[in-house]
Amino acid sequence: MSHIGLGKIILLGEHAVVYGYPALAAALDRGVRIDPVPTPAGGTLRVDVPSWNLKVTAEDDNSFAQGLSAIADALDLGRPPLTLVGDAQIPPGAGLGASAAFAVAVSRALLAHAKRPATPDTIAAAAAASEKILHGRASGVDVALAIAGGVGVYRKSTGLKPFAIPTLRVLVGPSGSPRSTAAMVDRVAQATSSSADDARLKELGALADTGTQALMRRDIDALGRDMNRAHALLAELGVSTPLLDALCDVARKLGAHGAKLTGAGGGGAVIALAPRDKEPEILAAWKTAGVSGFIASIGGR
Ligand code: MEV
């Protein structure tokens, strides 16, 4: 049986969410699927995700292996003789929540193998142990979306508050540049002296609020304006790149309501909201810039 963790995009509020502000986020309609295959001859716990070129055992000395061990330890499961075979539909290190999706799918697979109940709290605690190793100071937004799916406002203090919206199409452009969430979170800490009172963090939090209202009344123009402003603030905090700026600029020039980087930045992905008839031109322009974008559907349930 397969076990899933979903990828995500952050529409508004990344980085500020680490300091307690709200983030407006949505699960993608794709993520990571894990199938546990018992190793009859025994041996240790391993993971094999061919599309990421990832093949590790829990004993290996790299961050994915340490994340795998952290999940097994958090669940108090030892090292069951299993190969967790993964099928990933999102790229790793692209700001689309791949590591959280992976950790959630692995947690679900291990709990199912041990015939233990997979409650959201148990999965979240185990996935958080892995995210801490991979990302340092994570807010938990990626894990919450990977488990629950849907669209919602996430705060560290209150968790994910989901709400229903009709389907919304979002253009997603993974830049292909690798980046480290931990390094970007550190960069923002330096730029703000780790102070939640920093005016840019406050404004990012306020934009998440006004953007949520706009999304709820389906005012995509207003949501797009908030996204544009958020991108400028994230750039001021030092987490954009010339390529991410260029991908957003061209999307806006070609008629997008709004565009911004999503996730930690420093590489990773951009998102854009655009009228349907403008989507092909934007994807074509991104392609010219070397980026294979796709259209994701969020909400709709
Ligand atoms: C990563 O998807 C979003 C950040 O805000 C980090 C986090 O919230 O864990 C950059």
Side-chain angles (χ1 to χ4, degrees), residues 173 175 231 239-249 261 265-270:
S175 73
H231 182 82
V239 296
S240 191
T241 66
L243 176 58
L244 297 180
D245 290 344
L247 294 171
C248 292
D249 282 346
L261 69 85
V270 296

Side-chain angles (χ1 to χ4, degrees), residues 4-8 27 97 100-102 104-105 108 140-149:
I4 303 268
L6 293 170
K8 67 90 189 55
F102 170 79
V104 165
R108 284 183 164 141
V141 61
D142 292 14
V143 168
L145 264 304
I147 294 172

Side-chain angles (χ1 to χ4, degrees), residues 8 10 14-15 17-18 138-139 141-142 263-264:
K8 67 90 189 55
I10 296 184
E14 54 273 271
H15 285 294
V17 68
V18 174
S139 68
V141 61
D142 292 14

Side-chain angles (χ1 to χ4, degrees), residues 57-129:
T57 78
E59 272 73 48
D60 288 346
D61 186 19
N62 60 55
S63 51
F64 259 103
Q66 286 160 8
L68 176 63
S69 296
I71 292 170
D73 289 343
L75 297 174
D76 205 12
L77 288 178
R79 302 285 179 268
L82 280 179
T83 299
L84 303 175
V85 181
D87 173 22
Q89 297 111 30
I90 47 176
L96 300 177
S99 67
F102 170 79
V104 165
V106 166
S107 303
R108 284 183 164 141
L110 289 178
L111 284 165
H113 175 75
K115 299 193 171 32
R116 291 244 313 271
T119 66
D121 283 354
T122 313
I123 299 166

